[in-house]
Amino acid sequence: MSVVTVIGAQWGDEGKGRIVDELALSADVVVRFQGGGNAGHHVWVGDTQFTFHQVPAGILSPRTHCVIGNGVVLDPRTLLEELRSLAAKGVDLSRVHISDRAHVIMPYHTLLDQLEENDRDATGSGNLGTTARGVGPAYVDKYSRVGIRVADLLDVDQFRTKLAFVLNQKNRMLTQIYGMPPLSLEEIHSEYYGYARELRPYIVDSQSYLQEALAAGKTIVLEGAQGSLLDVDFGTYPYVTSSSTVAGNASAGAGLSPRSIEYICGVYKAYITRVGTGPMPTELFDEVGQHLAIRGYEIGRTTGRKRRCGWFDAVLGRYVARLNGLDAAILMKLDVLDRLPSIKICTSYRLDGQIIQQPPANLALLGKCEPIYEEMPGWQQDITGAQSIADLPSAARAYIARVETLIEAPIIAVSVGPRRGQTIALQHSPLLVNLQGALA
Ligand code: IMO
Ligand code: MG
């Protein structure tokens, strides 16, 4: 096997960055295939903390090449900042490659993201709680066929023609709908052409780059952003992100055949969190929720917002495992549950007197679903030093086994702390957590 997809199996922030970082240590290429700067992938190496928004989390592995794929919407201004800060930490940027087919987040996208949110607030429909990175409006333009792609930025005249057309539309929206001043064509053109010149060395035809890598027998990790519950089709629409976050989109967003993907891994937290608006059946409003938030340091890396915390939702967990056809699941942050005397898992929902096993598409109904819990004893001991499954208390092993049964996907590893190496491969899995192991 040479291509592995890693996806978020909840509402994002599951620890994908950490897993991708560990997998990258033995991978040749890591590719981001969707999303944009809304992602915040967090990796600790020793005492240094790295947060990746647009650069794939594989970049800290010294020999791994990292591709920002065609399915991504990229913000050149913040990408350049991210690249500069990585260079300042000694990271070799010659391993970064940007798809010429990726779409560019323009200043009007970030502005409209915020204005649309304000509008939703003002009209009483409630905002979506976006990350205000312009991701949604950029995908809208992609599908409206007025997007500007990386390849367009490099062609000074073509860029001006395309920008003039779309900016005319956006300025009418800004002035007539939102009462804002218009944006200047000249200023945007010269600013973004400047970015294009800086980014030029990184820009490649990523689909041929990846196909050649595949033909040469390289190992490739496709790094998902967000999570399946934020997927535009299968998530809690409209409280979702604007891209397809499921494994099914990994091939299209990278430019590889779906046949080339041999292994799909879903990353879950041992509990569940959500940032932003939208229903969350197992959300906790009590001291247990606060305990999870504090022990798990549940603060969004992109927006600084507090994450909502709740018990593991196995109804959603199983739905996501099936949607993605997970070969494996990884359960992160098990140590956050260390001190709890008892732990609950939601096994089904009660809706209008009926027991259901699937999340309804209708959000009003999902909002009415009451979780039905199973309760298990906690282990009430520190597991952060555990190095193998044998070091885990039996109550922790029982919890993992129960989650595994409920989601119907094998749990191949758990994490017991935030650092590299605090990931335990489980004995009952033939697969180890690093890619060589996973691909053995
Ligand atoms: P990573 O990759 C958690 C959420 C936002 C909001 C909704 C829409 O770090 O797991 P958007 O800006 O995408 O239009 O916002 O999606 N959201 C995330 N939540 N982790 C993320 O990424 C997220 N990216 C977007 O909070 O509710
Ligand atoms: Mg995040």
Side-chain angles (χ1 to χ4, degrees):
M1 286 189 278
S2 58
V3 186
V4 173
T5 301
V6 175
I7 53 104
Q10 292 164 328
W11 277 292
D13 304 323
E14 301 90 349
K16 300 174 290 294
R18 151 80 179 287
I19 292 301
V20 167
D21 168 66
E22 286 183 316
L23 291 175
L25 296 173
S26 47
D28 299 298
V29 188
V30 174
V31 190
R32 275 279 308 270
F33 58 86
Q34 45 70 232
N38 49 356
H41 295 178
H42 196 58
V43 177
W44 278 96
V45 180
D47 289 331
T48 314
Q49 177 184 2
F50 294 82
T51 300
F52 301 101
H53 296 289
Q54 301 187 76
V55 175
I59 196 70
L60 300 178
S61 157
R63 66 177 189 88
T64 306
H65 285 253
C66 285
V67 177
I68 299 178
N70 56 277
V72 168
V73 286
L74 74 89
D75 181 330
R77 188 174 52 78
T78 53
L79 176 60
L80 283 162
E81 280 167 19
E82 200 171 329
L83 292 173
R84 277 192 284 270
S85 105
L86 285 170
K89 289 177 176 159
V91 173
D92 163 24
L93 298 183
S94 69
R95 297 179 288 112
V96 174
H97 312 285
I98 298 171
S99 170
D100 52 4
R101 289 181 166 83
H103 278 248
V104 180
I105 297 185
M106 302 298 290
Y108 41 83
H109 293 135
T110 4
L111 195 56
L112 286 167
D113 199 343
Q114 197 57 64
L115 290 167
E116 285 167 12
E117 283 283 79
N118 297 346
D119 208 31
R120 286 190 191 99
D121 258 349
T123 53
S125 56
N127 66 28
L128 302 178
T130 76
T131 60
R133 294 295 186 276
V135 169
Y139 276 116
V140 167
D141 280 4
K142 171 173 175 172
Y143 288 98
S144 288
R145 295 159 295 177
V146 293
I148 293 186
R149 304 204 291 181
V150 167
D152 302 323
L153 278 190
L154 292 175
D155 179 332
V156 69
D157 296 327
Q158 178 168 277
F159 175 35
R160 176 183 289 276
T161 311
K162 291 198 169 185
L163 181 62
F165 174 77
V166 68
L167 193 62
N168 181 36
Q169 282 187 342
K170 301 298 175 192
N171 275 339
R172 275 185 286 160
M173 277 173 88
L174 288 172
T175 56
Q176 293 172 25
I177 299 178
Y178 294 109
M180 299 284 293
L183 299 175
S184 150
L185 173 65
E186 290 314 318
E187 278 174 26
I188 298 179
H189 185 263
S190 84
E191 183 184 343
Y192 279 70
Y193 190 61
Y195 296 147
R197 282 203 302 261
E198 278 188 81
L199 290 175
R200 188 187 294 271
Y202 304 104
I203 299 170
V204 295
D205 174 354
S206 59
Q207 54 87 33
S208 63
Y209 175 89
L210 290 171
Q211 283 163 17
E212 279 163 27
L214 195 59
K218 308 274 188 199
T219 51
I220 301 175
V221 175
L222 305 178
E223 174 185 359
Q226 291 80 52
S228 294
L229 300 175
L230 289 169
D231 181 82
V232 73
D233 286 287
F234 300 105
T236 44
Y237 190 90
Y239 302 103
V240 291
T241 194
S242 295
S243 66
S244 171
T245 61
V246 292
N249 183 41
S251 64
L256 288 170
S257 160
R259 287 182 208 276
S260 64
I261 296 171
E262 288 159 271
Y263 192 78
I264 302 171
C265 178
V267 185
Y268 295 80
K269 264 181 213 175
Y271 46 100
I272 200 164
T273 63
R274 166 161 215 174
V275 203
T277 328
M280 177 176 172
T282 62
E283 183 168 10
L284 289 165
F285 301 96
D286 58 5
E287 63 285 0
V288 178
Q290 277 171 18
H291 176 81
L292 295 176
I294 293 166
R295 290 269 300 158
Y297 190 59
E298 295 299 351
I299 295 170
R301 303 286 186 260
T302 305
T303 56
R305 289 177 295 178
K306 283 190 183 157
R307 298 183 187 135
R308 301 151 65 192
C309 298
W311 295 119
F312 191 90
D313 186 330
V315 175
L316 296 176
R318 186 169 50 241
Y319 166 73
V320 166
R322 287 181 183 171
L323 263 177
N324 289 285
L326 294 187
D327 294 297
I330 298 184
L331 204 58
M332 305 298 288
K333 290 183 141 183
L334 188 65
D335 56 301
V336 172
L337 306 179
D338 273 1
R339 295 189 193 163
L340 298 172
S342 74
I343 300 170
K344 291 183 183 172
I345 308 178
C346 166
T347 55
S348 48
Y349 298 148
R350 185 175 291 109
L351 176 63
D352 295 332
Q354 305 279 329
I355 305 292
I356 58 167
Q357 305 289 344
Q358 286 284 327
N362 179 331
L363 268 218
L365 295 182
L366 183 61
K368 279 170 59 183
C369 284
E370 288 169 44
I372 297 178
Y373 289 117
E374 216 174 83
E375 196 159 352
M376 299 186 74
W379 42 95
Q380 294 191 278
Q381 74 187 70
D382 181 357
I383 59 166
T384 54
Q387 291 182 347
S388 75
I389 187 160
D391 298 335
L392 292 176
S394 59
R397 293 205 296 261
Y399 180 71
I400 298 165
R402 188 64 188 134
V403 170
E404 181 176 72
T405 303
L406 289 168
I407 65 173
E408 298 171 0
I411 298 179
I412 62 159
V414 296
S415 86
V416 293
R419 284 163 213 270
R420 258 188 195 166
Q422 284 185 299
T423 311
I424 301 177
L426 300 180
Q427 279 175 7
H428 66 262
S429 167
L431 304 159
L432 297 175
V433 101
N434 78 40
L435 189 60
Q436 265 159 359
L439 300 179

